[in-house]
Amino acid sequence: MFNIPEESRKIHRQVISNIIPAIVVEIMLLIYNLADTFFIAQTNDPLQLAAVSLATPVFLVLIAMGIIFMAGAMSFISRSLGAGETEQANSIASFCVWTAVSVGVIMAVIFMFFIERILRAIGASPETFKLAYDYLTIVIASAPFMLFSMACGGIMRAEEHAAGAMTGQILGNMLNVILDPIMILWLGWGISGAAIATSISIIVGAIYCAGYFLSGHSSLSIHIKHFRIRKGIAFGVLAIGIPSCLDLWLMSISQIIMNSLMSAYGDMALAAAGVVMRIDQITGLFAMGTGQGVQPLLGFCVGSEDWKKYRAILNFALKFTVILSLMMIALCYIFTGNIVSVFLNEPKAFGYAVDFLHIKLSSSVLFAVFFIYINALQAMGAGRASFILSVCRQCALYMPLLFILNHFAGEFGIIWALPVAELLSLLQTVIVYGKIIYNPKHLICGEALR
C-alpha cells in the first residue's frame, strides 16, 4: 500500500525500537505518579490529595537536579560515541553518576533543614501542612538514590540500551504500585505510607542500575577512576543538562504559583487542579517518550555528521508523536468523567476537575511538537538556545499569564494560562530552531545541519 524505501524502513524500525522502551518508561512513570494520587483518593480525604499537590512541586525540584545529569549524559555521550571517542564517553558517564549522587546528598540536607519554611511559602494551610510535611520529609531522604538512577538511565539511553533503562524504571514503579495499597490503605498510614512506598521503590531502582553496570551489561563504565572534570566534560554535560533542569525548576515554581493562586478558590479547587495535572501527563507521555527515545539517535547523527539520517529521524518522530498524542487526547476527552471519578468523588471537586481537564487537553499536541524540537536542540548541543527557550517559556510566558488570566477569568483563567503559553512557546521554538539549523555558531559541536 505504501511504497516506503528500505532505508526509510530501517530508520523507522531503529526509531521505534528506541522510542517504545522510552514510552514504556514514561507510562510506568505516569503509573508511579498516579499510584499515590489514586490510593490516597481511596481514603476519601480531599485534604490528603491537596497535600500531595502541594508536595509535588518540591519533589519536582529534586527530579530537575537529576535531569541535569540524565539529559547531559544522553546528549554528550551519544555525540562522543558517534565520533568514536569511547574514553571520553566513560569519563562523562563517571562524572554524571558521582556528581549526581553528591548533589542528591546536598539537596536532601538543604530541604530537610528548610522544609517548614518552604511549605509555608508555597501556601500550605493549617489542615494540609502536617500532611505535606510528613510526605516530603520521607521522600526527600531518597534524593541521592533518585539522582543516581536518573544519571544511569541517561547513560543507558545514550548507548542505545533503552531496554535496560526501561527495566529499571518498571521494577521500581511496579514495586511502588504494589506497596501503595498495602501502606496507604491496609496499614492505614495514609500519605506517610505513600511516601515510604515511593522511597523504597526509588532505592530498589537504584540498586538495579548499580547491578546493571557492575554486571558488565553496559559497554561504558561508571567507575570512579574514570571521573574527569577537565577537557570540557563538566561544561559539555552542564550546557545541556542545566537548561533541561531549569525548565523543570521553572515548571515547579510555576506550579507553586498556580497552587498558591488556586488555593484562594478553596481546597476543592486545589485538589482538582492537582488531579488534572497528573491526568494530563497521559497525553504528554508519548511526546516525552518519543523525544527522549530519539535524542540519542539524533546525537549520534550529529557526532558522525550524518545529517540526512538526522532529518529523517526528526521528521518521523514528529509525525509519530503528533498522531499518538491526538489519539490520547480523544480518549481522555471522551472518558473525562470516568477518569476523574477514579480520583475524585466530592461533587464540587469533581466538577472543577472535569472543566479543568477539558481546558488542559487543548495544549497537549502543542507540547508534543515543542518537546521534540527541544530534544533535537539538545542533541545538537545547542545549550544556549535550550536555556533561552526554557526561561522564556516559563518566566516570560506562563508565569505572567497565570496572574493576568487569574485576574480576568478566576480559577479557569489559571488553567487557561498553560495552553496559551504552550502555543506562544511553540511558535518561538520553531523560529529559533529554524535559525540554528543553518547557523553553526550556536552549536557546541561546531557544525550546522546541511
Side-chain angles (χ1 to χ4, degrees):
M1 183 177 179
F2 298 103
N3 186 22
I4 302 175
E6 182 58 29
E7 183 180 356
S8 296
R9 290 179 185 273
K10 289 181 179 178
I11 290 175
H12 294 176
R13 286 194 294 268
Q14 184 182 17
V15 171
I16 290 174
S17 67
N18 238 42
I19 286 176
I20 295 302
I23 289 178
V24 171
V25 167
E26 291 300 323
I27 292 173
M28 294 308 303
L29 186 59
L30 176 65
I31 293 172
Y32 170 78
N33 288 333
L34 291 179
D36 286 355
T37 305
F38 174 78
F39 289 111
I40 288 173
Q42 306 314 301
T43 65
N44 296 315
D45 184 358
L47 290 176
Q48 292 197 54
L49 280 175
V52 172
S53 296
L54 285 168
T56 297
V58 181
F59 191 55
L60 285 176
V61 171
L62 296 176
I63 295 176
M65 296 305 296
I67 284 180
I68 290 179
F69 306 103
M70 183 179 76
M74 277 198 294
S75 176
F76 201 3
I77 291 176
S78 61
R79 281 183 281 125
S80 296
L81 292 175
E85 299 173 351
T86 305
E87 183 179 347
Q88 176 168 274
N90 281 326
S91 296
I92 298 167
S94 181
F95 170 82
C96 287
V97 166
W98 295 109
T99 308
V101 172
S102 301
V103 170
V105 172
I106 294 170
M107 293 295 293
V109 172
I110 292 173
F111 273 108
M112 287 291 189
F113 188 75
F114 290 105
I115 190 64
E116 293 186 11
R117 299 179 190 180
I118 292 171
L119 286 174
R120 291 192 182 95
I122 62 179
S125 68
E127 292 79 13
T128 58
F129 181 89
K130 187 178 186 306
L131 294 168
Y133 179 89
D134 291 343
Y135 182 84
L136 283 174
T137 50
I138 296 170
V139 171
I140 286 170
S142 63
F145 299 95
M146 181 195 307
L147 269 65
F148 173 82
S149 297
M150 294 180 71
C152 289
I155 296 166
M156 293 178 198
R157 290 172 182 169
E159 58 176 347
E160 298 185 30
H161 284 178
M166 177 185 71
T167 302
Q169 191 76 54
I170 290 176
L171 180 64
N173 291 354
M174 289 307 297
L175 182 60
N176 187 65
V177 172
I178 293 169
L179 292 177
D180 262 348
I182 296 173
M183 295 185 173
I184 295 172
L185 302 174
W186 187 57
L187 294 177
W189 293 347
I191 196 169
S192 295
I196 294 170
T198 297
S199 295
I200 292 174
S201 67
I202 289 171
I203 293 170
V204 169
I207 292 172
Y208 167 84
C209 289
Y212 179 90
F213 285 96
L214 290 173
S215 63
H217 284 91
S218 173
S219 60
L220 298 175
S221 171
I222 60 172
H223 197 284
I224 191 68
K225 70 181 181 180
H226 297 296
F227 186 92
R228 300 286 188 279
I229 297 179
R230 64 177 187 275
K231 296 182 180 179
I233 289 175
F235 173 79
V237 171
L238 298 179
I240 296 301
I242 287 179
S244 302
C245 162
L246 179 63
D247 188 50
L248 196 54
W249 267 54
L250 293 174
M251 189 184 303
S252 177
I253 294 171
S254 299
Q255 190 167 346
I256 290 172
I257 294 171
M258 189 204 74
N259 285 340
S260 179
L261 294 173
M262 192 64 75
S263 65
Y265 301 96
D267 285 332
M268 295 306 100
L270 179 61
V275 167
V276 166
M277 294 300 287
R278 280 172 160 73
I279 295 174
D280 186 57
Q281 293 174 10
I282 296 172
T283 58
L285 63 89
F286 288 106
M288 297 179 73
T290 304
Q292 293 177 5
V294 300
Q295 190 192 118
L297 300 177
L298 295 174
F300 193 92
C301 291
V302 171
S304 60
E305 300 186 18
D306 190 346
W307 311 119
K308 181 180 178 181
K309 186 175 182 180
Y310 174 98
R311 288 191 293 270
I313 291 172
L314 179 62
N315 291 337
F316 179 71
L318 285 168
K319 295 174 185 176
F320 185 88
T321 191
V322 167
I323 291 171
L324 289 181
S325 294
L326 287 172
M327 292 170 59
M328 292 304 300
I329 291 169
L331 289 173
C332 287
Y333 201 93
I334 292 169
F335 298 105
T336 298
N338 304 82
I339 296 170
V340 171
S341 65
V342 173
F343 304 98
L344 290 169
N345 291 314
E346 200 279 333
K348 187 175 182 180
F350 178 88
Y352 268 132
V354 170
D355 292 337
F356 288 172
L357 185 57
H358 285 163
I359 295 170
K360 279 291 288 97
L361 289 173
S362 64
S363 66
S364 297
V365 173
L366 301 175
F367 173 75
V369 178
F370 169 83
F371 198 77
I372 296 296
Y373 275 114
I374 285 295
N375 275 270
L377 288 170
Q378 292 174 355
M380 290 189 289
R384 183 188 306 172
S386 296
F387 178 81
I388 293 171
L389 290 169
S390 296
V391 171
C392 287
R393 179 172 178 258
Q394 296 292 335
C395 295
L397 296 174
Y398 184 40
M399 292 182 192
L401 283 168
L402 281 170
F403 291 99
I404 294 170
L405 295 182
N406 174 51
H407 177 75
F408 287 104
E411 63 268 51
F412 294 99
I414 294 172
I415 302 301
W416 267 113
L418 186 58
V420 175
E422 292 286 14
L423 175 60
L424 296 176
S425 63
L426 175 59
L427 293 174
Q428 183 184 52
T429 300
V430 171
I431 292 171
V432 170
Y433 180 86
K435 290 181 178 180
I436 287 178
I437 209 169
Y438 297 111
N439 194 341
K441 72 179 182 180
H442 293 291
L443 301 181
I444 291 172
C445 58
E447 294 286 346
L449 294 179
R450 292 184 283 271

